[in-house]
Amino acid sequence: MTKSRQYMYLAGCASVLLIAVFVLFLGGLQAYATLITGSSSNKTDDGGLIASTACGEAVETLVSGVSMLPASSGKLGHEEHLSNVNPSHYCGTNSGDCSAIAGGGAFAPHTTEQERFYINSQWGGWDWTPTRNKKAPILSHEPGAAEARRVIAHAKLIVTITEPGVPTKSIVTSAEESGPALWVTDRDGVNFGAPPEVYNYLEGSSPYTGNPNDNSGRVNVGFAKDQSVTLGPCL
Amino acid sequence: MKKNYLYLILAVIFLAIVIFLGLSFYFDVQNKKQLTERSKEFVQIWGNYQDEASTSYINSLKDYISVEIMSDYQNNAQTINYYYSEGYEPTKSILVEKTEPKIKKENKNYLVILTAQRELVDVKKFEQNITLRWQRIDGAYKIVEIIANDN
C-alpha cells in the first residue's frame, strides 16, 4: 500500500468514526431530552392540603402546580337546580322549590346525585375577567389550563362551613356548573355556589349581604383527595 | 482486492451518512419555514374573534390544531353558550403581532414563540407571550399545545 493510500484509508476511517460518534451523540441527547420531558409531563397528582374532614382530605388542586379554584375560602352562593339530569331529578324535603331550574349547567349531563350535590365556582382553566363586565369568560391558555379543564367536570369537592356560630359540617359535592360572575364576587364575596340540598345542610346564612368581606355563608372548599368518595354529607 | 472492497464499503457508508444528514437538514429547514408561516396564519385567526364559542370560529381553527384541542374548544362552547343563555355577551378579541415568530426544534416537535398585543374588547388590553407546539400527527403537523402567558 502506498503512503497516499494509507493516508486516504486513515482519513476515511476517521471521518466515518467521527460521524458515527456525532450521530450517536445526537441520539443520546434526544433520548435524554425525551426522558426529562416525559418524566415532567406527568403532572396530575395531589395539591396542597386544605383540610382533613370525615370524608377525607381536601386539597387545593388535582393538577400539580395549577390553580383550579379562585380561593380555598369564600362564600357559598344559593343556586337553583339544574336540568339535563339522568335518570331523574331529585326532590326531597330540603330541596326547596324543585321547579326552580337555572338551566343545564356547564358540565351537563348530570346524574341524580351529581345535580343534588353540585357546586359551581370560577374554575381554573378560564379567564373570568370579562364576567366583571357582563361578558362571557374565555379560555385561558396559561400553562396547565387545558389540563385543569380536562379534569374539572364532575370532580368531587369537599365543602366545610366555617361561618362563626354555625356547627362545623362538611359535604362532598360535584363540579357541575361554573360561576358566579366576578361582579357577584365583587359585590358580595360569593365565589362558590350550590343548590338547596347543599346550603340547607350546611345551615350557613345568606351570603348576599353586599359586603364581600363578612363571614355570612363562609366555607372552605377543596378537591377530595380520594375522588372515589361518595357524594353527600360527611357523617 | 479485499482492501478495495473495504474502501468501497467505507465510501458507501460515508456517502449514506452525508446524504442522510443533508436530507435531514433540508427537511428541517423546509419544516421551519412552513410552520413559521402557518403559525402566523393561525395566530391571526386564533386571536381575532367575535365569539370564541361560535361554530364558524372553532371550525376555522380545525386545520391547525389537534383533535384534543378541537375537543377542548367544543367543550368550552357548551360552557360559554350557557352564559349567553343567561344574558352574557360574547367576549371579542383583537390580536396584533408584536414580534416575528421564532421557531426551534425540540425533540420531534417544533416550538414557535412570538409576542402579541391582545385586546379583549371593553375588558382589558395586555401583552401575551404565545408558544405553539407543533407535532407531526398522521403525516401532517398540528398544534398540540397553545401556551399564552399574559405579561
Side-chain angles (χ1 to χ4, degrees):
Chain A
M1 188 187 281
T2 61
K3 272 211 164 177
S4 60
R5 279 203 157 188
Q6 278 180 339
Y7 287 139
M8 275 177 63
Y9 177 72
L10 278 173
C13 285
S15 57
V16 168
L17 198 67
L18 272 174
I19 290 166
V21 167
F22 180 66
V23 169
L24 283 172
F25 175 70
L26 281 182
L29 266 184
Q30 197 167 1
Y32 177 70
T34 306
L35 193 72
I36 296 291
T37 53
S39 61
S40 66
S41 66
N42 184 20
K43 292 198 294 185
T44 303
D45 58 17
D46 54 342
L49 182 69
I50 290 174
S52 288
T53 72
C55 292
E57 292 180 340
V59 293
E60 286 174 0
T61 183
L62 295 175
V63 181
S64 181
V66 179
S67 176
M68 291 181 66
L69 291 172
S72 56
S73 171
K75 291 169 77 176
L76 187 71
H78 292 188
E79 304 288 350
E80 294 175 331
H81 296 282
L82 301 176
S83 58
N84 206 345
V85 181
N86 296 311
S88 60
H89 203 280
Y90 173 84
C91 190
T93 52
N94 61 349
S95 299
D97 180 1
C98 289
S99 64
I101 292 176
F107 309 125
H110 325 280
T111 65
T112 304
E113 291 298 278
Q114 283 169 345
E115 192 280 332
R116 180 182 174 188
F117 299 115
Y118 85 81
I119 186 168
N120 54 270
S121 188
Q122 295 137 354
W123 308 116
W126 283 268
D127 181 348
W128 291 88
T129 319
T131 63
R132 193 165 268 135
N133 300 52
K134 297 274 180 110
K135 292 178 184 291
I138 61 164
L139 283 182
S140 165
H141 294 282
E142 293 282 329
E147 206 172 344
R149 283 192 294 274
R150 273 196 289 277
V151 300
I152 193 64
H154 316 301
K156 290 174 181 169
L157 295 98
I158 301 175
V159 183
T160 304
I161 186 86
T162 57
E163 182 180 334
V166 176
T168 303
K169 283 193 278 187
S170 299
I171 187 166
V172 181
T173 57
S174 182
E176 304 296 323
E177 168 64 310
S178 65
L182 283 181
W183 64 265
V184 179
T185 310
D186 294 342
R187 187 190 64 191
D188 298 311
V190 173
N191 49 3
F192 300 100
E197 289 88 340
V198 174
Y199 65 74
N200 283 338
Y201 171 74
L202 292 173
E203 296 182 300
S205 312
S206 168
Y208 303 107
T209 56
N211 180 357
N213 301 313
D214 69 11
N215 287 320
S216 302
R218 188 155 293 277
V219 289
N220 272 353
V221 179
F223 290 90
K225 191 174 180 181
D226 175 8
Q227 284 287 303
S228 65
V229 67
T230 305
L231 291 170
C234 302
L235 302 171
Chain B
M1 198 61 177
K2 273 185 179 175
K3 280 175 185 167
N4 283 341
Y5 279 128
L6 192 63
Y7 292 147
L8 193 64
I9 291 165
L10 283 174
V12 168
I13 293 171
F14 178 73
L15 204 63
I17 292 171
V18 167
I19 290 170
F20 171 76
L21 289 175
L23 283 176
S24 298
F25 178 73
Y26 172 77
F27 286 124
D28 190 41
V29 169
Q30 290 300 312
N31 284 337
K32 282 181 174 171
K33 197 176 161 187
Q34 188 200 36
L35 294 180
T36 303
E37 282 308 306
R38 288 188 69 200
S39 296
K40 287 172 86 167
E41 289 168 15
F42 171 75
V43 165
Q44 281 305 314
I45 298 168
W46 172 78
N48 289 291
Y49 56 79
Q50 299 290 310
D51 176 1
E52 195 184 35
S54 73
T55 308
S56 60
Y57 171 71
I58 296 172
N59 284 340
S60 70
L61 304 175
K62 195 177 179 179
D63 290 342
Y64 301 90
I65 58 180
S66 65
V67 173
E68 288 75 18
I69 297 185
M70 191 71 184
S71 169
D72 190 19
Y73 271 90
Q74 284 162 342
N75 290 338
N76 176 58
Q78 182 188 338
T79 305
I80 302 305
N81 281 327
Y82 175 66
Y83 274 85
Y84 297 160
S85 72
E86 295 280 298
Y88 285 73
E89 289 175 13
T91 301
K92 295 173 186 169
S93 168
I94 298 169
L95 179 144
V96 179
E97 278 179 43
K98 274 193 79 178
T99 62
E100 281 294 307
K102 287 181 182 167
I103 188 164
K104 64 176 180 181
K105 198 168 185 182
E106 191 184 272
N107 300 328
K108 289 179 180 175
N109 302 334
Y110 286 94
L111 291 186
V112 177
I113 301 161
L114 68 133
T115 304
Q117 190 67 43
R118 192 92 183 263
E119 179 183 355
L120 300 180
V121 178
D122 298 332
V123 177
K124 61 179 178 178
K125 285 183 183 174
F126 54 106
E127 198 176 89
Q128 269 189 330
N129 292 326
I130 301 165
T131 304
L132 308 173
R133 182 184 295 277
W134 292 86
Q135 191 179 82
R136 199 170 177 83
I137 301 167
D138 298 331
Y141 277 97
K142 297 275 185 180
I143 294 167
V144 293
E145 189 176 27
I146 305 166
I147 298 289
N149 289 306
D150 298 357
N151 287 339

